[in-house]
Amino acid sequence: MNILVVIGIGSLILFAAYFTYGNFLSTKIFDLDDTRKTPAVEMEDGIDFEPISAKFLVGQHFSAIAAAGPVTGPIIAGLTFGWAPAFLWIILGTIFIGGIHDMGSLVASVRNKACGIAETMRLYVSKRVWILFNIFIFFTLIMIIVAFTDITTSAFVNNIDLGNGEIVGGGATATSSILYLVLPVMMGYLLKYTKISLGLATAIFLPLIAVSIWIGPLIPFELQSIFGISTQAAQKIWNMVIIIYCFVAGIIPVWALLQPRGHLGGYFLYATIIVSFIGIVFGGFQTQYPAFIQDFGTDDFWFPMFPMLFITIACGACSGFHSLVSSGTTSKQLAKETDAKPVGFGMMLAEAVVALIALGTVMMLPKGDALISTSPNFIYASGLGSFMELIGISKAFGISFGLMAFTTFVYDTLDVCTRLGRYIIQELAGWKGWSGRIGSTLLVGGMPLFLMSINLTDPTGKPVAAWSLFWKTFGSSNQLLAALALVGITVWLQRTAKNKNAWLFACIPAVLMFIMSVWALFNTFISYTYKNGVFIMPEGTNIVVPALSAIYMVLAIWVVIECVPAIVENARHPQQGLSTPKK
């Protein structure tokens, strides 16, 4: 079967959902109204609050949420369980869970002066929940930074052998990535201090990004050969460089990097989608990878697919990180309420398309292909390279483009994570001014740097890369964060929505995501602490993953225990819930 059939059907379903379920959410659940002024308009300060048009904001929001998750997650899930279960969860999870999660987080924030989702829970539940939720968010952000940084820098130190004598070097990807980080800064300053239009700036800097990809192989920045060090040592240096970048990006004004880089990154995403669809439509690539890895209906089929499928795909169907972007940075830039549909709901659907494309790069592989044992970003880049060959572009350049695109997605997420982590620490500690910004940002970057510098092992004691070890922990905590955000949206809808049943559209997804996420975290905890029928205490660095899993479970269950009475009370007395929030 041609992969066009599967990906085409999935894309059409998502397109139809935007105009059907999206309209339902806009009018019947969230009651979007442009007569209400948004916080970006009322509180504009040129640093964090700055209204921008939807056509600009969708690209920035899209590139911020569509990082490594919708690429890495579907590829890992497709390889592990087969492409059919991954396909079904991407479609259903995106429309009925991820969509209302992202849009609800954005609208709730906009209606509460652009406060974060944790602050929404403080307003409508209690201050204790606000503290617990912020702590949970902070640890989740740390996991995201660790997993995404380490998987990105792996592309800077490893090579892809095309099998025809050509090598796509990691040093070339590193050079292109560094050049890419410089271009948005230049664009931001030109837009801020000259009369250049956004259209002209885009026309100038988009071709320059292509030039940076072309230059990469000409002047590869290979730390191994430059300093005579091992690949592992080189990757740890790159990890430090990325964390330094995160520090700088987390404290400078949004116009200087976040907005222009998000804008350019959005075009990168659009380009990968267009190129991929050309390959999918005209390439004639056949589905070779199995639809199901295990026989349908057997115990081996259902477990561990339940719950691991739901937390592995992560951002490709639902992601708690999106609630942080929606309520942390995007809500501070939304010019009018109705923009929440294309930005919040529309970009979640667009991310699902990216996930389908990533899944397609697995579907076209024979089961024994050598690429299967490589990192997901290499599988994705190789697929894009095959697609780009159809339009006369060499596969080597196409793979470089794919790796650069993957890196671009991650940069957007990393600096947003750092900025959001700064917000949380400043709120909890009360740190103000530039000293507060710098101190809190150093703390956000320090923990991931420590976790990536130590030697880590899996439950069997085998040394593993940080990204592969923390991906499951990230996936579980990320989906659990989504469940808790949906709990917050549930309480907010109970207290404010005109439709008395609106809260159910957030509550039911919250229950599903909570069960799957806690189940997955418990499995991870047990894998390290229960061996041969006996509970053991992990030694050395082996304690990190089970300890984090336990912390997440305790915090999440505590938050839910705090919220359930409020949900039950509001359900019993819905009219009482339309009063002002708690102070």
Side-chain angles (χ1 to χ4, degrees):
M1 179 174 61
N2 195 306
I3 64 174
L4 171 62
V5 175
V6 177
I7 298 176
I9 291 173
S11 300
L12 288 174
I13 293 172
L14 294 169
F15 182 77
Y18 179 79
F19 294 101
T20 53
Y21 196 58
N23 287 342
F24 172 77
L25 294 177
S26 298
T27 58
K28 303 299 183 182
I29 302 300
F30 299 121
D31 187 30
L32 301 183
D33 184 358
D34 285 343
T35 62
R36 299 187 184 100
K37 283 189 177 182
T38 64
V41 174
E42 286 190 318
M43 305 164 65
E44 183 176 359
D45 61 8
I47 299 177
D48 292 322
F49 291 84
E50 188 166 334
I52 57 177
S53 66
K55 64 181 180 181
F56 195 173
L57 189 57
V58 290
Q60 179 193 306
H61 182 79
F62 188 24
S63 58
I65 64 172
V71 173
T72 304
I75 288 175
I76 295 175
L79 292 173
T80 305
F81 306 113
W83 62 261
F87 172 82
L88 290 173
W89 174 237
I90 289 170
I91 298 299
L92 297 176
T94 294
I95 296 172
F96 297 108
I97 300 180
I100 191 169
H101 169 274
D102 287 23
M103 194 173 176
S105 301
L106 178 57
V107 178
S109 178
V110 168
R111 297 273 175 82
N112 289 292
K113 298 183 179 181
C115 69
I117 190 66
E119 180 67 9
T120 298
M121 299 186 81
R122 185 188 72 81
L123 291 172
Y124 295 96
V125 184
S126 69
K127 185 175 181 179
R128 184 163 54 242
V129 165
W130 171 74
I131 295 173
L132 293 170
F133 197 49
N134 268 312
I135 295 172
F136 187 95
I137 292 171
F138 179 78
F139 278 107
T140 302
L141 291 173
I142 297 302
M143 288 301 99
I144 294 173
I145 294 173
V146 171
F148 286 11
T149 296
D150 200 63
I151 198 171
T152 299
T153 57
S154 69
F156 295 174
V157 297
N158 293 305
N159 302 325
I160 296 181
D161 187 346
L162 301 185
N164 58 0
E166 286 188 276
I167 300 290
V168 178
T173 304
T175 299
S176 299
S177 298
I178 292 171
L179 292 174
Y180 170 75
L181 290 180
V182 174
L183 293 174
V185 175
M186 295 171 59
M187 179 177 170
Y189 274 87
L190 281 175
L191 289 171
K192 183 71 174 180
Y193 293 110
T194 70
K195 296 182 179 180
I196 189 173
S197 67
L198 175 61
L200 178 57
T202 303
I204 294 172
F205 284 93
L206 278 180
L208 289 177
I209 290 177
V211 172
S212 71
I213 299 174
W214 174 73
I215 289 177
L218 302 179
I219 46 174
F221 201 69
E222 296 180 349
L223 294 182
Q224 300 97 304
S225 59
I226 294 174
F227 298 110
I229 58 177
S230 67
T231 297
Q232 184 180 19
Q235 185 169 359
K236 288 187 176 182
I237 292 175
W238 279 122
N239 286 340
M240 184 180 298
V241 171
I242 295 298
I243 294 299
I244 292 173
Y245 157 77
C246 290
F247 170 77
V248 175
I251 62 175
I252 62 177
V254 292
W255 59 261
L257 178 61
L258 191 147
Q259 287 183 346
R261 196 228 40 251
H263 180 66
L264 294 175
Y267 280 100
F268 232 123
L269 280 165
Y270 305 145
T272 60
I273 292 174
I274 292 170
V275 166
S276 298
F277 267 111
I278 291 174
I280 291 166
V281 173
F282 299 106
F285 295 103
Q286 297 299 307
T287 300
Q288 300 187 72
Y289 201 78
F292 301 98
I293 295 299
Q294 301 293 341
D295 293 335
F296 183 83
T298 64
D299 286 345
D300 289 339
F301 171 80
W302 294 112
F303 308 101
M305 189 177 73
F306 280 84
M308 299 311 295
L309 172 70
F310 302 89
I311 63 98
T312 302
I313 290 179
C315 310
C318 178
S319 168
F321 171 69
H322 295 187
S323 69
L324 307 184
V325 177
S326 295
S327 65
T329 55
T330 302
S331 64
K332 295 176 175 64
Q333 301 172 78
L334 197 76
K336 56 183 181 179
E337 278 200 0
T338 52
D339 288 347
K341 179 188 171 186
V343 175
F345 190 70
M347 291 305 98
M348 181 64 246
L349 298 181
E351 183 163 11
V353 174
V354 175
L356 289 176
I357 291 169
L359 185 62
T361 64
V362 172
M363 295 168 64
M364 55 197 278
L365 293 177
K367 191 174 181 182
D369 195 284
L371 268 176
I372 292 173
S373 62
T374 64
S375 297
N377 52 346
F378 289 126
I379 295 175
Y380 177 71
S382 180
L384 287 185
S386 298
F387 296 152
M388 294 184 78
E389 277 190 302
L390 297 174
I391 55 178
I393 298 175
S394 72
K395 186 169 184 178
F397 182 90
I399 290 176
S400 295
F401 175 87
L403 290 172
M404 182 66 178
F406 185 90
T407 303
T408 299
F409 307 160
V410 173
Y411 282 148
D412 293 328
T413 297
L414 288 178
D415 55 31
V416 169
C417 279
T418 306
R419 187 175 291 266
L420 293 173
R422 167 170 71 82
Y423 292 162
I424 290 173
I425 294 175
Q426 286 188 278
E427 280 191 72
L428 291 176
W431 294 351
K432 306 294 183 182
W434 275 102
S435 61
R437 287 187 180 192
I438 293 172
S440 56
T441 308
L442 283 173
L443 184 57
V444 174
M447 292 181 66
L449 191 60
F450 168 74
L451 290 173
M452 289 184 290
S453 66
I454 61 178
N455 296 320
L456 298 164
T457 60
D458 65 13
T460 65
K462 179 182 178 181
V464 292
W467 75 264
S468 63
L469 182 63
F470 284 111
W471 187 264
K472 290 181 180 180
T473 309
F474 150 69
S476 300
S477 64
N478 185 49
Q479 302 307 75
L480 190 49
L481 175 58
L484 297 180
L486 284 164
V487 170
I489 296 168
T490 297
V491 178
W492 170 70
L493 285 172
Q494 285 184 313
R495 296 290 301 275
T496 64
K498 292 181 180 179
N499 181 348
K500 66 179 182 179
N501 294 319
W503 65 278
L504 290 171
F505 289 85
C507 186
I508 294 172
V511 172
L512 174 64
M513 297 311 300
F514 183 82
I515 292 172
M516 293 300 166
S517 303
V518 172
W519 187 357
L521 282 169
F522 180 76
N523 286 350
T524 300
F525 178 81
I526 289 296
S527 68
Y528 279 88
T529 60
Y530 188 76
K531 298 182 183 298
N532 300 319
V534 179
F535 281 99
I536 62 171
M537 176 62 71
E539 298 179 355
T541 57
N542 272 349
I543 193 65
V544 173
V545 173
L548 286 171
S549 299
I551 290 171
Y552 284 130
M553 286 189 289
V554 170
L555 288 172
I557 293 171
W558 196 349
V559 169
V560 169
I561 289 173
E562 293 280 342
C563 290
V564 166
I567 294 174
V568 173
E569 181 64 19
N570 289 337
R572 288 177 177 174
H573 307 287
Q575 295 304 314
Q576 294 179 7
L578 298 177
S579 59
T580 58
K582 294 182 179 182
K583 301 296 182 184

